[in-house]
Structure formats: C-alpha cells, structure tokens
Amino acid sequence: MPKDLRTLKVRYPSARTFKFGDDPALSSALLSLVRNGKKVATCSALYEFQNGEPSPEIGRRDICLDWDGTPAVVIETVELIQCRFDEVTEEMALAEGEDENLEGWRAGHRGYFERNGGFSPDMQIIWERFVLIEDLATE
C-alpha cells in the first residue's frame, strides 16, 4: 500500500488530510481505535469550518495522518449530523469508540473543545460516521 501522500492524493483526488486529536498520544490512541474497528465516528466544532477549512462531505474519502504527518488510514464519510453538543445521543457518543457512556464522552470532548477554541453546551458540532477504506500501516 502506498504511504506517500502524493501517490495517495492521485488515488483519492478529492481527499483532505487531517489528524485525530490534539497531541501525539491522543492521536495514536484514536488511530488505534479506528484500526481495530471500535471508532467509526468523530466530531468537530462547527467553528473549525467557518474560517475556510473544508467541512466533511458524505462520500468523500479523506486521509488521516499520524501525528508526524505520515499517512495512516483512509476513511470515507457515510453520515453527517449537525447538532448542538448537548444533543449528542449515547449512540452517537459510543460510535466514537472512546468512552463507555455518554457522560464520559461529554467530559472528554468538553476538555478537548476547551483546549481548542472554546466550549459551550449549545455549541454546534458536526458529527461524522465513517468507514475505514484503507489502513496504510498494513502491507
């Protein structure tokens, strides 16, 4: 499997690149959850996309990078929901694979959003369900 980003961009011309998490340890943990099938969803604050950053699109395949910038996995978005943070359901939270219940998800994501631009219970988020297309660590 190609690990070169240029080669991947030829194969997936509309792909955007991104990293899970906001530090190396979290990024690695989240990628591991994707690879073992526990993490099939993610979310972002809507404000992240209001400065020109492209938002997720159903059917688009994107390249997730390791913290060091190495291509790690390719995912395809299959569902999008825009809602308030406090409207996330337990089913949505558990699909992210990071927590055992909705309360744990809320606590962890509140901390993440507080570190990365601000949090309020009524903030708008984009929740994204995805499928793993390619694990670039496998040969």
Side-chain angles (χ1 to χ4, degrees):
M1 299 294 170
K3 294 182 183 182
D4 177 79
L5 189 54
R6 269 180 272 142
T7 303
L8 287 167
K9 291 291 263 178
V10 169
R11 184 184 299 169
Y12 304 108
S14 64
R16 303 291 181 195
T17 59
F18 72 99
K19 295 176 184 174
F20 283 119
D22 62 351
D23 67 49
L26 180 57
S27 179
S28 179
L30 296 177
L31 277 169
S32 179
L33 290 171
V34 170
R35 286 179 165 131
N36 71 28
K38 283 191 72 177
K39 182 172 184 60
V40 296
T42 192
C43 72
S44 303
L46 182 62
Y47 59 70
E48 294 176 30
F49 306 107
Q50 294 176 331
N51 62 358
E53 181 75 24
S55 50
E57 296 175 20
I58 292 176
R60 189 177 73 207
R61 293 180 174 186
D62 292 325
I63 303 162
C64 180
L65 307 173
D66 282 322
W67 195 254
D68 68 3
T70 304
V73 298
V74 177
I75 63 168
E76 180 177 331
T77 301
V78 296
E79 180 181 6
L80 292 170
I81 298 173
Q82 182 177 328
C83 64
R84 291 168 30 142
F85 179 89
D86 58 7
E87 294 173 333
V88 169
T89 66
E90 184 143 22
E91 178 186 356
M92 292 165 72
L94 294 179
E96 292 199 33
E98 302 165 45
D99 301 287
E100 298 297 318
N101 55 45
L102 180 58
E103 292 75 27
W105 179 91
R106 285 184 176 154
H109 282 71
R110 176 185 182 133
Y112 174 84
F113 290 127
E114 285 175 341
R115 293 190 307 271
N116 292 283
F119 169 80
S120 72
D122 64 348
M123 66 186 277
Q124 290 289 308
I125 64 160
I126 297 178
W127 181 86
E128 172 184 3
R129 185 181 303 275
F130 58 82
V131 294
L132 177 62
I133 299 299
E134 193 172 354
D135 183 347
L136 302 167
T138 59
E139 295 296 321

